[in-house]
Amino acid sequence: MAELKQIHAQIYRTELHLSQDNLASTKLLETVCNLLDSTDIIGYARKLFDQIQTPNTFTWNTLFKAHSKARKNPNFSISSLYKEMLYRGTKPNGITFSFVSKACSDEFFLGLFHAHLLQFGFCCDVYVLNSLIYGYAISGSIDSARKLFDELSYKDLISWTVTINGYVRSNRAKEALDLFFLMREEQVGIDEVTVVAILTACAQLGDLNLGRRLERLVRESGFEFNSYMNNALIDMYAKCGSMSDARKHFDEMVNKNLVSWNSIVSGYARSGDMDTAKRLFQRMPKKNEISWSALLNGYLQNGDFKEALMMFHEMKVQGIIPNDASVAGAIAACAHLGALEMGKEIHVSLDEQKVRSDVVLGTALVDMYVKCGCLEISRELFDGMSKKNLVSYNVMILGLAVHGRASDCFEIFTEMLKARVRPDSVTFVGILSGCVHAGLVEEGKEYFNRMTTIYGIAPRAEHISCMVYLMGRNGNLEEAHEFIKSSPLKPDVIIWGALLSACRVHGNVKLGEYVARQILDLDPDHGGAYVLLSSINAAASRWDEVTKIRKKMKETGVESRPGRSWIELNGKVHEFCAGDSLHPDITDILLMLGLMEFRTA
């Protein structure tokens, strides 16, 4: 800003008043705009512009440049500025169209803008049309981008690459690669941007053989992989499940940068090899919030929620400001552990820092509160979300279902349909679970029928098991058995397990023995089947059978999986496993349990 004041003072010293000298004013405006990389002074640039009596196309373009470089989202101001330019009678040129189409992400406005572009005679300007293809692509209108691409009389490398990248942005990897192979047929050369785009598309598909084929093709084209391309290559192999290939390329890189390290750490974390991921993380010469987030979410994905929270705590101790992915991951870990106090702390810190909760963070908070049993807070947050997606609705429905709030599940489902969010298979798992917990047999049958007939969703094991639980809960064991036999889905351990649980509840030994055999045929080491069958026989006082079952478990080496539990105390999560004595305070805990038992005796 000091530099700006010096420039401004210089103009006044030469007695050139801004309102009287358009050339001097425009030069000053251009200087201001060039400083926008280091200082966000868009408002200052606009004040200078407003003092120019008769701005020409160059002057307008200078202001467009300022808006496109500003750190804040320029979309609205760019489109408004363009409309103002036309209203004041200034004719746009190719540079104007390029700035506006690249910066705007509003599909409707881009359509009107496209018409203006043709009206002003730029129908054959490949530079301008490429900018419009880019605009359509970043607005999510990839089909409009492809239509314009196909209509081009001349396509250069940028035309192809921008369209391919548009498909990648839209997660339409197959179409991106189809267009790339068409590009090769047309013998159009490629550059590093094209290479990164196709490697990213392959990563989205997770096709290892195709990835290797693409690497060979690029190398045969004479490319030497730079760090930008190598990073994409490492990420591609990691996402295709070949950490050996990813590691080979990482180790061969001479100039590894932060992106390289983050890619390899993320790859190992995603593959479940957290030991290697952590070793590499500790070796990193420099870390940023993405590095920490990769490790934290790796622990989360691998079910080590306690370690994930420890990473989040360490991250804050090191003074790293967590990104949205880290915060959402920490909140998810709190949800799984039932660590309500820690979850509340994170929520409060978000409010204090005035972090605007997007749909991801909002959904994570809703999930955390509902899993910790705070239904009212969860519902209040959910209702207050300005934007909800399918995941948001599913989280709320599943959470309410677990707590037996079936009528509320139905209410959210109705709201979801009014918002034109189409339910998926997870939605109906929630609805049917709600029916199970509330014992609503007829309602469950109705929703199951709607799922298959209206929404065309093929039943999965979770849906079938919900229906079996629902029928079995009311004692309709034969109906549940017939439902399994009539289902097009081959019954698995989950489905048979639902019926076996119902047999235990209602003491049906004969059917229970049959179902247990089905489970053990599918999974001979399924300890749960033995335990449930033992319980059924014990309830019927068939102690000889109980002894036989226990003996068989011992002979075959089958063990029932020990229960685990977590408890949060003073911001620290304590983990317990049935039968172990690993907790450092186990002696005091056992003494207290003994004292409690004595006092209640």
Side-chain angles (χ1 to χ4, degrees):
M1 190 60 75
E3 187 177 351
L4 284 174
K5 288 180 179 178
Q6 289 175 7
I7 296 168
H8 208 158
Q10 183 181 356
I11 288 179
Y12 276 103
R13 279 198 301 272
T14 54
E15 298 181 351
L16 293 174
H17 194 275
L18 286 171
S19 62
Q20 297 172 352
D21 193 322
N22 285 349
L23 179 60
S25 301
T26 301
K27 283 183 177 178
L28 176 60
L29 178 64
E30 188 175 14
T31 304
V32 168
C33 295
N34 287 334
L35 293 173
L36 279 167
D37 284 334
S38 56
T39 53
D40 188 4
I41 47 176
I42 188 71
Y44 191 82
R46 179 69 207 214
K47 284 179 183 177
L48 290 175
F49 177 85
D50 287 340
Q51 293 181 68
I52 300 173
Q53 289 183 335
T54 54
N56 57 22
T57 304
F58 175 78
T59 312
W60 281 97
N61 286 345
T62 304
L63 195 57
F64 280 123
K65 180 181 179 181
H67 278 280
S68 65
K69 289 172 68 178
R71 285 196 295 269
K72 293 179 182 177
N73 189 334
N75 294 344
F76 178 76
S77 54
I78 283 278
S79 57
S80 299
L81 197 63
Y82 175 71
K83 291 172 186 174
E84 183 186 350
M85 178 183 184
L86 294 181
Y87 179 77
R88 291 173 63 173
T90 306
K91 184 178 178 180
N93 62 13
I95 295 172
T96 313
F97 286 121
S98 175
F99 275 132
V100 177
S101 57
K102 284 180 179 177
C104 188
S105 60
D106 182 274
E107 183 181 3
F108 178 74
F109 176 76
L110 282 170
L112 294 175
F113 184 70
H114 190 172
H116 288 175
L117 187 147
L118 299 176
Q119 178 187 337
F120 284 107
F122 290 91
C123 56
C124 297
D125 190 323
V126 69
Y127 173 75
V128 173
L129 292 172
N130 285 343
S131 299
L132 187 57
I133 291 172
Y134 176 83
Y136 277 128
I138 63 170
S139 72
S141 311
I142 184 58
D143 292 326
S144 297
R146 179 58 187 269
K147 185 173 183 295
L148 179 56
F149 171 84
D150 289 338
E151 290 171 354
L152 292 179
S153 56
Y154 168 73
K155 302 176 180 69
D156 62 9
L157 172 60
I158 296 172
S159 314
W160 289 90
T161 302
V162 165
T163 312
I164 289 169
N165 256 319
Y167 278 122
V168 174
R169 276 175 168 268
S170 301
N171 288 312
R172 288 164 63 171
K174 185 178 183 305
E175 288 157 292
L177 290 168
D178 287 344
L179 190 59
F180 169 71
F181 288 120
L182 180 60
M183 177 183 181
R184 299 295 294 164
E185 287 177 17
E186 296 287 331
Q187 297 184 331
V188 179
I190 58 176
D191 64 4
E192 69 174 40
V193 179
T194 321
V195 173
V196 170
I198 61 168
L199 292 175
T200 305
C202 189
Q204 289 176 359
L205 289 176
D207 189 330
L208 180 59
N209 290 329
L210 179 60
R212 287 174 175 157
R213 178 186 168 197
L214 288 172
E215 185 192 354
R216 284 195 303 271
L217 192 153
V218 171
R219 293 193 187 279
E220 287 166 3
S221 299
F223 268 91
E224 287 293 328
F225 275 66
N226 58 24
S227 60
Y228 181 52
M229 295 158 69
N230 264 319
N231 290 337
L233 196 63
I234 291 166
D235 185 62
M236 183 271 292
Y237 277 123
K239 286 178 178 173
C240 289
S242 178
M243 286 311 301
S244 57
D245 282 309
R247 185 60 182 268
K248 173 179 173 290
H249 289 292
F250 175 80
D251 289 340
E252 288 174 354
M253 281 184 74
V254 177
N255 299 313
K256 299 179 181 71
N257 57 22
L258 185 57
V259 177
S260 318
W261 283 96
N262 284 343
S263 295
I264 197 70
V265 169
S266 296
Y268 276 112
R270 198 183 301 112
S271 70
D273 187 353
M274 293 307 301
D275 290 338
T276 305
K278 189 165 186 178
R279 279 199 303 272
L280 285 168
F281 175 82
Q282 291 169 338
R283 281 175 49 199
M284 289 179 73
K286 184 180 177 183
K287 305 179 183 75
N288 63 2
E289 70 279 2
I290 297 172
S291 321
W292 287 85
S293 177
L295 206 60
L296 187 155
N297 282 294
Y299 283 120
L300 186 67
Q301 289 161 19
N302 289 285
D304 196 341
F305 309 117
K306 188 176 177 182
E307 194 67 34
L309 281 182
M310 287 174 66
M311 284 297 301
F312 186 74
H313 174 72
E314 181 63 24
M315 185 178 183
K316 293 202 298 183
V317 168
Q318 295 291 334
I320 305 294
I321 298 173
N323 58 15
D324 287 354
S326 300
V327 175
I331 294 169
C334 291
H336 284 284
L337 294 173
L340 178 59
E341 292 308 312
M342 294 183 73
K344 281 182 176 178
E345 281 182 24
I346 296 171
H347 189 184
V348 168
S349 70
L350 290 176
D351 288 340
E352 288 174 348
Q353 294 165 22
K354 296 189 168 131
V355 175
R356 189 174 178 181
S357 180
D358 61 9
V359 68
V360 176
L361 281 180
T363 301
L365 284 169
V366 169
D367 185 48
M368 186 270 294
Y369 279 114
V370 81
K371 282 179 177 169
C372 291
C374 302
L375 293 185
E376 301 310 317
I377 298 176
S378 179
R379 183 65 186 271
E380 185 181 335
L381 283 170
F382 176 81
D383 290 339
M385 288 176 68
S386 58
K387 186 179 179 183
K388 304 180 184 82
N389 59 15
L390 176 61
V391 178
S392 315
Y393 283 105
N394 285 348
V395 160
M396 195 73 243
I397 289 172
L398 285 162
L400 290 166
V402 168
H403 291 89
R405 302 271 285 270
S407 59
D408 289 333
C409 288
F410 303 155
E411 182 185 321
I412 299 293
F413 183 76
T414 303
E415 180 190 321
M416 178 182 186
L417 297 181
K418 285 180 182 175
R420 300 193 177 186
V421 177
R422 187 177 178 83
D424 66 356
S425 62
V426 177
T427 314
F428 282 99
V429 169
I431 293 288
L432 295 176
S433 296
C435 292
V436 169
H437 285 284
L440 302 175
V441 180
E442 295 308 315
E443 288 84 349
K445 289 178 179 177
E446 180 189 339
Y447 275 104
F448 184 85
N449 184 55
R450 286 173 68 179
M451 178 186 79
T452 54
T453 58
I454 297 177
Y455 297 102
I457 297 171
R460 288 169 27 186
E462 296 92 329
H463 305 116
I464 302 297
S465 62
C466 277
M467 294 304 295
V468 172
Y469 272 121
L470 196 55
M471 296 171 190
R473 176 182 176 136
N474 284 7
N476 302 325
L477 300 181
E478 290 304 325
E479 182 186 8
H481 189 198
E482 287 301 319
F483 183 80
I484 291 173
K485 290 194 289 185
S486 63
S487 170
L489 194 69
K490 185 178 179 181
D492 61 6
V493 170
I494 296 172
I495 294 171
W496 285 121
L499 185 55
L500 185 58
S501 294
C503 290
R504 182 186 64 80
V505 170
H506 295 283
N508 191 322
V509 178
K510 184 179 178 182
L511 183 59
E513 289 178 334
Y514 168 79
V515 174
R517 282 198 299 273
Q518 304 307 310
I519 294 174
L520 293 172
D521 283 344
L522 293 169
D523 182 4
D525 297 325
H526 196 287
Y530 284 107
V531 171
L532 282 172
L533 190 57
S534 176
S535 298
I536 293 170
N537 280 285
S541 299
R542 300 177 66 191
W543 303 112
D544 289 344
E545 290 299 319
V546 173
T547 303
K548 287 179 184 176
I549 293 166
R550 295 292 179 183
K551 185 180 178 183
K552 189 170 184 181
M553 285 180 71
K554 192 171 182 181
E555 288 173 351
T556 55
V558 175
E559 295 181 358
S560 57
R561 196 174 291 173
R564 288 182 177 274
S565 63
W566 295 267
I567 186 171
E568 181 190 20
L569 184 65
N570 297 327
K572 185 177 179 182
V573 177
H574 300 263
E575 182 179 358
F576 297 92
C577 180
D580 74 20
S581 55
L582 300 177
H583 195 280
D585 299 321
I586 190 64
T587 304
D588 293 335
I589 291 169
L590 291 175
L591 282 171
M592 179 55 70
L593 287 172
L595 181 60
M596 290 169 65
E597 186 178 2
F598 174 75
R599 286 180 176 177
T600 55

